[in-house]
Amino acid sequence: MRFASSLIMLVAIVLAGCSGRTPPPNPAAAGGEAAPVQSTAVEQVAKQPPAPPPSRHAALREGIDGWLKLASTCQKRWFAKVDPAKLDKWELPVDVPSMEDDCDKLVFDFEALSKENLLKGPELDSLFGRMAMVTDLYTHLALRCRKVGVKDRVPFKQMIAGLRDRLGAEVEAVANEGAAVLALDDDMLVRDVSGQAMMDRALGALGRVKSDMDEWIVKPRKEVGPVFKYSLKVSGRLAAGASEALAADASLPEKFRMSASALSKAWTVVSDFYAGDYLAEEEAKSDFLQKSVVKAFIAYDKALASFRKAGGHP
């Protein structure tokens, strides 16, 4: 018994010695340097640059970006696949109803965007002009692709192929221009122009009225085709904005400002007429309206030349 008790006491002493081992010294507690602490996720986030503030024109940017993406999607899915040779088999060159289901949003969204944002900046105006051309070419292509029973098919197929290829080129061009416009900061995207920049912008809008009419009204009507109604709307509004800007500049000769206003009014009447759903009985007005634009353009051109000759140099 005495041996057993001694053995038990010996084991207890050994266990007590093991449990009483002291931990390794803490350098910080002894006044030494603590080991470096790993950067936390919070510290890493704090070192990142702050996010840029939201754009003041976020809705406009999103609208344009969405329109550009839809145009590119429609180009790949539908426009590029138009095959005029299918007319020889009495088939549509493309599934027009399905294409319109997917792509008619181009028309509605363009009208909404341009209505709210034209005349807000030179780059935006240029972009909306190109978007209008894409919209016009798309509607023209869809209309022509519905005509299966054409007798003289060779020139008609060439016309459809030409529209398809021109539309494809315009979609690519509008994508490039749109990317450049969306890259502008807010102050450059939407801004007023004055001085020489305003004059250049106004002269550009008014100076193209006659050529726009010839290209988008006169020529298509001779070819018994649809006019470029969306491009006409943009051109008419830009001309109106130009004449208003010139009228507000009292330093310009009155005759020049009046001629610009007269040209703008004549062009607005014509562009609105052809951009609307005019009836066949209204066709009698067309020649008179076009002549009024030509007459106003000649008067404007003379007034501009006189202004320049007097040293105005706008």
Side-chain angles (χ1 to χ4, degrees):
M1 292 295 293
R2 184 177 295 177
F3 173 75
S5 298
S6 300
L7 181 61
I8 292 171
M9 289 180 64
L10 179 60
V11 171
I13 291 171
V14 172
L15 290 175
C18 290
S19 62
R21 286 179 181 170
T22 56
N26 185 347
E33 259 185 52
V37 181
Q38 295 292 330
S39 297
T40 64
V42 175
E43 290 172 331
Q44 291 175 354
V45 171
K47 292 180 180 179
Q48 294 178 356
S55 171
R56 300 191 304 273
H57 311 297
L60 169 61
R61 293 179 183 278
E62 290 171 6
I64 292 175
D65 184 58
W67 192 95
L68 295 172
K69 287 178 179 175
L70 178 59
S72 295
T73 297
C74 287
Q75 167 62 23
K76 295 173 184 176
R77 185 176 298 171
W78 297 108
F79 307 159
K81 295 180 180 179
V82 170
D83 183 6
K86 289 184 177 181
L87 289 171
D88 294 331
K89 302 176 183 178
W90 298 92
E91 297 177 1
L92 294 175
V94 69
D95 184 352
V96 180
S98 295
M99 179 177 73
E100 290 177 334
D101 286 343
D102 286 350
C103 304
D104 271 5
K105 197 171 183 293
L106 287 172
V107 180
F108 305 130
D109 287 358
F110 164 74
E111 291 201 288
L113 285 166
S114 60
K115 182 179 180 180
E116 297 296 328
N117 297 291
L118 264 175
L119 300 171
K120 285 190 175 181
E123 291 82 6
L124 278 175
D125 290 344
S126 175
L127 178 61
F128 283 127
R130 197 172 287 279
M131 290 166 66
M133 180 56 64
V134 170
T135 305
D136 276 318
L137 291 172
Y138 159 62
T139 55
H140 289 192
L141 182 65
L143 177 65
R144 297 292 173 85
C145 283
R146 285 184 175 277
K147 297 182 178 181
V148 179
V150 178
K151 293 182 179 179
D152 196 0
R153 291 184 179 174
V154 173
F156 192 75
K157 288 191 295 183
Q158 292 173 344
M159 181 188 300
I160 290 177
L163 277 172
R164 175 200 61 200
D165 296 343
R166 185 179 176 188
L167 177 55
E170 286 293 334
V171 169
E172 181 179 358
V174 80
N176 293 333
E177 185 168 346
V181 170
L182 292 177
L184 297 172
D185 63 31
D186 279 356
D187 292 337
M188 287 295 292
L189 181 67
V190 175
R191 71 185 192 277
D192 293 325
V193 293
S194 58
Q196 189 59 46
M198 181 278 290
M199 182 64 73
D200 292 343
R201 183 183 184 187
L203 294 181
L206 292 169
R208 59 176 294 167
V209 163
K210 177 68 165 54
S211 60
D212 283 353
M213 185 175 73
D214 290 342
E215 184 68 21
W216 298 339
I217 297 175
V218 177
K219 183 179 177 181
R221 282 168 53 78
K222 285 181 179 178
E223 297 171 353
V224 195
V227 299
F228 290 70
K229 62 185 296 182
Y230 301 104
S231 297
L232 288 173
K233 288 182 180 181
V234 171
S235 182
R237 288 189 62 191
L238 292 181
S243 69
E244 290 174 7
L246 294 176
D249 188 348
S251 68
L252 299 174
E254 183 178 3
K255 184 177 181 180
F256 172 61
R257 288 184 288 157
M258 290 180 62
S259 67
S261 178
L263 173 59
S264 169
K265 288 177 181 177
W267 180 231
T268 298
V269 171
V270 171
S271 58
D272 286 351
F273 176 78
Y274 284 104
D277 296 322
Y278 59 92
L279 302 176
E281 55 266 26
E282 294 180 306
E283 283 292 316
K285 300 178 183 178
S286 60
D287 288 341
F288 171 78
L289 293 176
Q290 291 175 34
K291 288 178 181 178
S292 70
V293 172
V294 173
K295 182 178 179 181
F297 188 83
I298 291 173
Y300 164 79
D301 207 34
K302 287 181 178 179
L304 176 60
S306 177
F307 179 36
R308 285 174 169 163
K309 187 175 181 180
H313 303 295

